[in-house]
Amino acid sequence: MKPTLTVLALIAAAPAFAHTGAHMHPHADDPVWLPLLIGALTAAGAAMLAWARRK
């Protein structure tokens, strides 16, 4: 993996280190937005992977 992608992955994962245990969302009662967020992150990750493979 290229160093740039490693740094980007660590920056993206930084909020996960704020809490102990599994914690995927802010403190909200109605996580309706969570599937939309996961879908958007998946699409962005796929686009970044395609871009990285093209380089």
Side-chain angles (χ1 to χ4, degrees), residues 12-13 17 19 37 40 47:
F17 299 116
H19 298 284
L37 177 65

Side-chain angles (χ1 to χ4, degrees), residues 5 8 39-55:
L5 292 179
L8 288 175
L41 290 174
T42 301
M48 286 176 57
L49 182 62
W51 176 79
R53 287 186 179 207
R54 238 185 338 165
K55 291 283 178 175

Side-chain angles (χ1 to χ4, degrees), residues 20-48:
T20 57
H23 195 87
M24 283 188 60
H25 58 88
H27 304 277
D29 294 332
D30 191 17
V32 172
W33 54 268
L34 192 57
L36 295 174
L37 177 65
I38 292 172
L41 290 174
T42 301
M48 286 176 57

